[in-house]
């Protein structure tokens, strides 16, 4: 209680000095946000609530906020500093007008939709409020989302405030409080090129001009969390490909997650996911599973940064290798082009804008920039190839194991969706091991532990057994190499953990809203 | 080119199968490879392939569960071979199917970005599967 009282005094001081917590407009309207319901014991605990309040102020400029702690006093007793004499009477906004916006954020399992940057680059990482998202004209309106009070110049963009409950309120709140980094001299190396792409005529420019999307198949808060949490701001495992160059400059710091950078990354992941989902699986439920695991894979590989690179040459969002690129060019390219063309709209534009080269992405290390250069159509091109490679792996595992009559009964105990989850998990795993590196332990597990009429009944238990099989029966290339075996056997667990961390960081729930 | 493939196939057919330290598999593989050139039609070849696959699956699922390091290594080798042989899929033997299957088997090599073509060399198990494919496509 004493802590709360001290903090209230601090808030009053901050508010009075105009430092961050609120603005008192001449209109003098007041809205009360009661902080007494928050289980706050320190400033850190209260940050989510404060962020929510600030976000609300940003959205609804005319509603200043008084933060109070403890039981709500009657409105007439409310101390209101410095209200002009002519000001209208104090209005206490009833709780029902904006309840979710105020209350949802603090109840989330983890605090920030807003990730405060590491303090290692203080001069370069000051956080500024995000401009409100410009919603795509063609995008369907959010259903039943409590809307912030619109700014006058944006009224026409807002759909009428719907009634009832919403499925995606938490994401709406998180979107409203997105913050971007301001770039400094060491991490702004992509900004000029990004600005050029934004003003260009390609599909990537179109995606950037649309601004952050709220109704995305892949939640923006998850992409933000991935971009900011997997690699630190000072990490230097990044590269930069100047336009038209084939060889990247290495040792770059993580690029600043500016609005342009974030918008391009998120909208590209969203569009490619939507376009390629039917290519991966025919039905929606399976597509959700596929896209979720795919996001985990990309987060694990690159932290969703399209210019991530490593010493071995694997590069881009999906850390594509020459082997994977060559295989997609040989075996999947026709299927991908046909699929995207059939999808029409922006998906067809992906094909016409980015997939025209012969091949669109070249495999050799000499052409490493093909995998990540913005001027070559990345990150979209890298994502399409990553998905193409997964599809190829799935086909190979289906023909050699999943669809073989001899193992049909082993999988017969699983529902269709569970079977798809298992297959996708194994395919994602093989992104790291290679198909050959997956086939050996998988076949060995089936031949040793699933003999006779034994069936798989629990996907997670089977995946745990497969992890052990990677240790007991590794592919001959990995035999005796303890580090490789550890890495290969633990890859799927690492992806799952990464995904779980991102979802927790982004406020809980699945990252896929397809 | 065609002549070269025929000569190579004949040479392969005469080569003893890679020793898997499992007498049954080694013997069965040798006899299967000797048998393939004697079949006159595609369907006969594919039936023989299917029977060989049945043998492999049965044999591996009936082996005692490996306990020692050496037993596990042998079991892994045999499963690697089985997986490669099971990756050969053809409804008929023609040029296109043969090319696609060759590429599929090649793609089973373990990725290694430091190698010139981004892949490790084919392991003995994979080479055996490739030699079977070569004989089938002769």
């Amino acid at each position: 209680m004493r802590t709360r009282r001290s903090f209230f005094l601090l808030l009053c001081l901050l508010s009075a000095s105009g430092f961050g917590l609120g603005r008192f407009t001449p209109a003098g309207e007041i809205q009360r946000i009661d902080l007494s319901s928050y289980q706050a014991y320190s400033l850190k605990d209260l940050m989510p609530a404060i962020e929510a309040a600030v976000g609300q102020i940003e959205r609804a400029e005319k509603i200043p906020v008084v933060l109070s702690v403890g039981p709500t006093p009657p409105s007439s007793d409310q101390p209101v500093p410095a209200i002009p004499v002519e000001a209208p009477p104090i209005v206490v906004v009833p709780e029902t007008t904006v309840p979710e916006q105020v209350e949802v954020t603090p109840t989330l399992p983890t605090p920030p939709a807003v990730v405060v940057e590491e303090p290692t680059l203080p001069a370069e990482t000051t956080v500024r409020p995000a401009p409100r998202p410009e919603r795509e004209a063609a995008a369907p309106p959010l259903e039943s989302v409590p809307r912030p009070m619109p700014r006058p110049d944006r009224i026409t963009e807002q759909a009428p405030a719907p009634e009832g409950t919403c499925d995606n309120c938490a994401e709406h709140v998180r979107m409203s409080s997105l913050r971007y980094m301001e770039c400094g001299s060491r991490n702004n190396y992509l900004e000029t090129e990004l600005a050029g792409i934004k003003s260009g005529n390609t599909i990537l420019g179109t995606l950037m001009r649309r601004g952050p999307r709220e109704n995305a198949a892949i939640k923006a808060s998850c992409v933000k969390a991935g971009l900011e949490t997997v690699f630190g701001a000072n990490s230097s495992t990044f590269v930069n490909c100047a336009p038209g160059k084939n060889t990247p400059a290495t040792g770059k710091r993580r690029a600043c997650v500016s609005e342009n950078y974030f918008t391009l990354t998120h909208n590209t992941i969203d569009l490619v996911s939507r376009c390629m989902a039917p290519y991966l699986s025919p039905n929606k439920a399976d597509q959700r599973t596929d896209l979720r695991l795919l996001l985990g894979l990309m987060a694990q590989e690159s932290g969703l940064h399209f210019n991530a690179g490593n010493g071995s040459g694997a590069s881009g969002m999906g850390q594509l290798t020459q082997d994977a690129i060559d295989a997609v060019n040989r075996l999947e390219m026709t299927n991908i082009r046909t699929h995207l063309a059939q999808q029409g709209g922006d998906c067809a534009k992906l094909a016409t804008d980015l997939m025209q080269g012969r091949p669109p992405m070249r495999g050799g290390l000499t052409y490493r920039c093909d995998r990540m250069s913005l001027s070559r159509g990345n990150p979209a091109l890298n994502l399409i190839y990553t998905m193409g490679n997964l599809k190829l792996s799935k086909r190979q595992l289906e023909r050699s194991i999943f669809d073989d009559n001899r193992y049909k009964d082993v999988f017969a105990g699983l529902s269709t969706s569970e079977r798809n989850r298992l297959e996708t998990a194994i395919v994602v795993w093989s992104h790291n091991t290679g198909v050959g590196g997956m086939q050996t332990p998988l076949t060995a597990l089936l031949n040793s532990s699933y003999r006779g009429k034994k069936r798989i009944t629990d996907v997670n238990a089977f995946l745990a057994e497969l992890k052990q099989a990677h240790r007991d029966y590794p592919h001959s290339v990995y035999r005796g190499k303890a580090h490789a075996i550890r890495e290969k056997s633990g890859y799927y667990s690492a992806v799952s953990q990464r995904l779980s961390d991102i979802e927790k960081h982004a406020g809980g729930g699945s990252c896929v809203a397809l | 080119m065609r002549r070269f493939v025929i000569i190579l196939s004949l040479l392969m057919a005469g080569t003893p199968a890679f020793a898997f330290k499992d007498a049954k598999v080694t013997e069965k593989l040798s006899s299967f490879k000797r048998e393939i050139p004697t079949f006159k039609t595609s369907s006969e070849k594919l039936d023989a392939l299917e029977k060989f696959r049945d043998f492999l699956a049965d044999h591996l699922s009936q082996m005692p569960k490996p306990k020692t390091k050496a037993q596990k290594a042998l079991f892994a080798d045999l499963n690697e071979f089985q997986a490669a042989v099971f990756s050969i899929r053809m409804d008929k033997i023609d040029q296109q199917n043969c090319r696609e299957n060759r590429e599929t088997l090649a793609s089973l090599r373990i990725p290694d970005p430091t190698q010139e073509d981004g892949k490790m060399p084919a392991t003995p198990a994979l080479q055996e599967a490739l030699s079977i494919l070569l004989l089938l496509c002769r």
Side-chain angles (χ1 to χ4, degrees):
Chain A
M1 194 59 206
R2 189 172 171 179
T3 311
R4 288 186 183 186
R5 196 170 297 136
S6 307
F7 183 63
F8 176 57
L9 288 171
L10 176 66
L11 291 181
C12 291
L13 282 170
L14 290 170
S15 298
S17 60
F19 191 81
L21 284 180
R23 291 182 295 250
F24 295 93
T25 63
E29 293 168 344
I30 294 174
Q31 180 199 343
R32 174 179 300 285
I33 296 176
D34 187 355
L35 293 177
S36 63
S37 60
Y38 298 121
Q39 292 297 312
Y41 300 100
S42 67
L43 182 59
K44 192 180 171 190
D45 291 334
L46 272 171
M47 279 312 287
I50 295 166
E51 293 287 359
V54 173
Q56 191 180 336
I57 293 165
E58 293 294 338
R59 291 190 302 276
E61 282 180 333
K62 287 188 175 177
I63 306 179
V65 175
V66 170
L67 295 164
S68 74
V69 179
T72 310
S75 59
S76 55
D77 297 331
Q78 181 63 47
V80 182
I83 295 178
V85 177
E86 298 79 12
I90 296 166
V91 177
V92 178
V93 179
E95 281 191 2
T96 48
T97 49
V98 278
E100 288 86 352
Q101 292 172 19
V102 178
E103 292 176 5
V104 166
T105 306
T107 58
L108 295 173
T110 51
V114 179
V115 179
V116 178
E117 284 299 316
E118 294 177 12
T120 45
L121 291 170
E124 300 170 6
T125 56
T126 48
V127 175
R128 67 186 168 83
R132 280 159 20 99
E134 291 174 334
R135 293 174 55 245
E136 187 185 358
L142 274 180
E143 285 181 15
S144 307
V145 173
R147 296 194 173 277
M149 187 177 285
R151 290 176 182 172
D153 60 337
R154 295 283 169 82
I155 287 174
T156 51
E157 293 179 26
Q158 298 287 336
E163 294 177 356
T165 57
C166 61
D167 294 332
N168 206 16
C169 301
E171 180 67 2
H172 175 74
V173 171
R174 284 188 287 273
M175 282 290 291
S176 309
S177 55
L178 280 178
R179 303 283 188 276
Y180 306 107
M181 290 171 67
E182 281 186 0
C183 302
S185 59
R186 284 179 292 184
N187 62 2
N188 68 350
Y189 53 90
L190 292 171
E191 290 303 306
T192 308
E193 201 178 355
L194 282 168
I197 294 210
K198 188 174 185 178
S199 59
N201 290 326
T202 66
I203 181 70
L204 297 183
T206 309
L207 288 175
M208 287 179 76
R209 288 192 295 275
R210 281 177 190 163
R213 288 197 53 173
E214 208 167 80
N215 295 0
I218 306 295
K219 288 181 186 172
S221 53
C222 288
V223 173
K224 194 86 181 348
L227 286 170
E228 292 179 335
T229 59
V230 178
F231 291 100
N234 286 329
S235 170
S236 57
T237 58
F238 297 90
V239 298
N240 183 30
C241 290
K245 298 279 183 193
N246 286 326
T247 311
T250 56
K252 289 285 181 185
R253 280 178 187 246
R254 193 189 81 184
C256 68
V257 184
S258 64
E259 184 174 3
N260 276 348
Y261 185 90
F262 171 75
T263 306
L264 175 68
T265 304
H266 177 233
N267 286 359
T268 303
I269 292 176
D270 182 51
L271 176 64
V272 175
S273 296
R274 284 173 190 268
C275 292
M276 295 291 279
Y279 168 79
L280 296 173
S281 286
N283 75 65
K284 271 269 195 280
D286 291 346
Q287 289 168 14
R288 278 192 286 272
T289 305
D290 295 346
L291 294 182
R292 184 173 172 273
L293 285 174
L294 183 71
L295 186 74
L297 179 150
M298 291 187 300
Q300 177 66 15
E301 293 289 339
S302 63
L304 308 180
H305 289 277
F306 59 79
N307 67 329
N310 70 25
S312 69
S315 315
M317 207 177 271
Q319 289 291 284
L320 289 169
T321 58
Q322 175 181 352
D323 158 53
I325 296 163
D326 288 344
V328 171
N329 283 335
R330 272 199 321 271
L331 302 166
E332 284 297 319
M333 189 46 60
T334 310
N335 295 335
I336 293 172
R337 283 187 174 126
T338 308
H339 171 80
L340 287 174
Q342 282 170 349
Q343 297 289 303
D346 284 346
C347 302
K349 201 151 173 22
L350 281 175
T352 52
D353 282 9
L354 311 177
M355 309 290 289
Q356 291 307 308
R358 300 269 181 242
M361 187 186 286
R362 295 162 291 185
L365 269 182
T366 330
Y367 306 110
R368 201 174 156 200
C369 281
D370 279 12
R371 307 172 196 180
M372 54 199 151
S373 167
L374 286 164
S375 63
R376 298 282 304 178
N378 290 297
L381 192 60
N382 192 297
L383 267 173
I384 292 169
Y385 266 73
T386 302
M387 293 193 191
N389 188 44
L390 286 183
K391 182 69 177 178
L392 186 57
S393 301
K394 193 168 189 174
R395 283 190 214 282
Q396 290 178 340
L397 286 163
E398 277 171 353
R399 66 193 263 164
S400 61
I401 299 173
F402 298 143
D403 290 348
D404 189 276
N405 282 335
R406 298 165 193 86
Y407 297 110
K408 199 172 55 183
D409 288 345
V410 178
F411 300 100
L414 296 172
S415 66
T416 313
S417 63
E418 281 294 276
R419 179 168 172 163
N420 179 71
R421 184 162 79 86
L422 176 63
E423 289 185 9
T424 306
I426 292 172
V427 166
V428 163
W429 202 333
S430 70
H431 185 78
N432 175 263
T433 63
V435 174
M438 171 55 69
Q439 280 177 327
T440 303
L442 178 57
T443 312
L445 174 62
L446 295 174
N447 282 334
S448 60
S449 300
Y450 287 84
R451 300 170 171 189
K453 293 187 185 298
K454 190 177 172 191
R455 292 176 168 188
I456 301 167
T457 52
D458 181 336
V459 170
N460 291 335
F462 183 80
L463 291 171
E465 288 179 297
L466 186 55
K467 183 177 182 176
Q468 186 57 45
H470 272 276
R471 294 177 186 144
D472 290 341
Y473 315 113
H475 188 281
S476 55
V477 162
Y478 301 131
R479 200 168 300 146
K481 296 175 183 169
H483 175 73
I485 291 174
R486 205 166 36 246
E487 189 218 336
K488 306 296 167 194
S489 65
Y491 184 74
Y492 182 72
S493 305
V495 168
S496 299
Q497 186 59 50
R498 180 74 68 204
L499 191 55
S500 164
D501 288 347
I502 285 176
E503 288 180 339
K504 200 171 158 192
H505 219 91
S510 171
C511 280
V512 178
L514 191 66
Chain B
M1 182 63 191
R2 189 177 160 78
R3 189 176 296 165
F4 171 73
V5 171
I6 292 169
I7 292 168
L8 196 64
S9 306
L10 287 171
L11 286 173
M12 287 279 211
T15 314
F18 169 72
F20 280 109
K21 292 180 186 166
D22 181 298
K24 269 192 180 175
V25 173
T26 308
E27 188 190 321
K28 190 78 179 174
L29 176 58
S30 292
S31 68
F32 172 56
K33 287 171 76 173
R34 274 197 307 272
E35 225 177 21
I36 297 175
T38 66
F39 295 123
K40 291 203 170 64
T41 64
S42 286
S43 62
E44 281 178 333
K45 288 179 183 175
L46 292 176
D47 286 347
L49 174 66
E50 210 52 40
K51 279 180 189 162
F52 182 65
R53 282 204 270 245
D54 283 339
F55 157 77
L56 273 179
D58 286 347
H59 179 65
L60 266 65
S61 63
Q62 283 165 19
M63 280 177 78
K65 205 165 177 180
K67 290 196 171 65
T68 65
K69 210 173 173 181
Q71 286 170 346
K72 284 179 180 175
L74 171 63
F75 193 63
D77 277 340
L78 292 171
N79 278 284
E80 188 181 323
F81 177 55
Q82 183 197 305
V85 173
F86 276 44
S87 296
I88 302 172
R89 296 286 161 175
M90 288 190 276
D91 50 359
K92 60 178 180 183
I93 298 175
D94 60 17
Q95 215 172 8
Q96 189 185 342
N97 275 329
C98 286
R99 183 177 54 82
E100 283 178 6
N101 274 276
R102 214 165 35 239
E103 284 177 351
T104 299
L105 288 184
S107 75
L108 298 183
R109 289 184 296 148
I110 299 295
D112 179 0
T114 62
Q115 302 284 325
E116 196 179 333
D117 67 345
K119 288 276 202 185
M120 302 278 270
T123 59
L126 189 56
Q127 282 175 8
E128 279 302 325
L130 278 162
S131 74
I132 291 173
L133 179 67
L134 204 59
L135 287 166
L136 291 170
C137 292
R138 197 181 68 176

